[in-house]
Amino acid sequence: MPVWWAEPVHSESDTPNGERPHDSDETRREGRIRAYGWSTDEPELAAAWVGQQGFGGLEFEINVVHDSPAIVDICERNDVPGLARGPLGTGLLTGAHPEGSRITDEQDFRRRSPDWLNYFQDGYPVPELARALESVRHILTSEGRTVAQGALAWLWARSPSLIPIPGAQTVAQVRENAGAMEKGPLSEAQMREIDDLLGVI
């Protein structure tokens, strides 16, 4: 296994002064992993782990309607790969759930609204995020992209450090995600236009 990813429980072990996740040093010495990574959306915790022996990367939430500039900066300054968690906003950024629509499957976790879910409430898309997506849809779908492909293209243009990890429930979705690579990243001009439309300073 190249990298072992750990999700912290917020305690003193979240920092290098505490225990490393899951005895990762011993696991590395045994040759079972090459490095360990850390999953956090808090820049202070991300910065604390960078540069530690055996540290291999960060995982954090980032997408076109939920940027994370502080952690992207940490990745770029320290040449650390960043796994982009939630690149499609748990389905919001596929364009299949416009404002006011509701997910009908009562077993869908987006109907239950767990605490960590940022994009849906009781099965409805969060209105301001749905509107943000609509404001940039024409850019994301440029050059024949689907909305989801455009969201992935935004991440590739956002930083060379980012590695999107989109989810998929069907073979068609896997093919759609993979097809984004044929189009490549958005242009610098498109990224600036998105920033302007979303009010990024």
Side-chain angles (χ1 to χ4, degrees):
M1 182 184 299
V3 180
W4 190 342
W5 294 95
E7 296 188 10
V9 175
H10 298 296
S11 67
E12 64 180 14
S13 65
D14 286 354
T15 68
N17 294 325
E19 297 292 329
R20 284 206 169 89
H22 302 288
D23 299 321
S24 59
D25 282 341
E26 182 178 350
T27 307
R28 280 194 314 109
R29 287 193 295 269
E30 293 172 353
R32 290 188 285 161
I33 61 172
R34 294 180 185 174
Y36 63 89
W38 205 236
S39 179
T40 181
D41 294 322
E42 300 182 34
E44 296 80 6
L45 295 179
W49 283 100
V50 170
Q52 297 297 311
Q53 184 177 9
F55 186 76
L58 291 165
E59 180 193 53
F60 54 99
E61 186 172 14
I62 180 172
N63 56 55
V64 66
V65 298
H66 183 94
D67 200 357
S68 185
I71 301 186
V72 171
D73 181 63
I74 291 169
C75 290
E76 292 180 341
R77 284 189 291 104
N78 295 278
D79 194 25
V80 171
L83 266 65
R85 177 169 22 87
L88 301 181
T90 59
L92 176 67
L93 302 182
T94 65
H97 305 285
E99 183 179 3
S101 65
R102 193 182 193 192
I103 293 170
T104 56
D105 182 1
E106 293 187 1
Q107 301 304 313
D108 192 305
F109 72 92
R110 292 169 292 186
R111 285 285 294 257
R112 300 192 298 272
S113 302
D115 291 341
W116 51 265
L117 183 61
N118 295 321
Y119 306 96
F120 291 84
Q121 181 66 40
D122 298 325
Y124 293 98
V126 173
E128 56 266 33
L129 297 181
R131 289 194 291 269
L133 174 61
E134 284 306 307
S135 73
V136 299
R137 177 188 284 264
H138 65 288
I139 304 172
L140 299 181
T141 56
S142 63
E143 301 173 37
R145 296 180 178 93
T146 65
V147 178
Q149 289 173 341
L152 297 176
W154 181 88
L155 285 164
W156 290 323
R158 177 66 178 82
S159 172
S161 299
L162 293 177
I163 305 169
I165 47 173
Q169 295 181 332
T170 67
V171 172
Q173 289 172 346
V174 172
R175 289 174 176 164
E176 180 183 4
N177 292 340
M181 292 185 290
E182 297 177 5
K183 306 292 185 181
L186 298 180
S187 68
E188 291 183 7
Q190 289 172 320
M191 294 295 283
R192 288 194 297 270
E193 185 178 357
I194 287 174
D195 284 351
D196 289 342
L197 288 169
L198 296 182
V200 175
I201 299 175

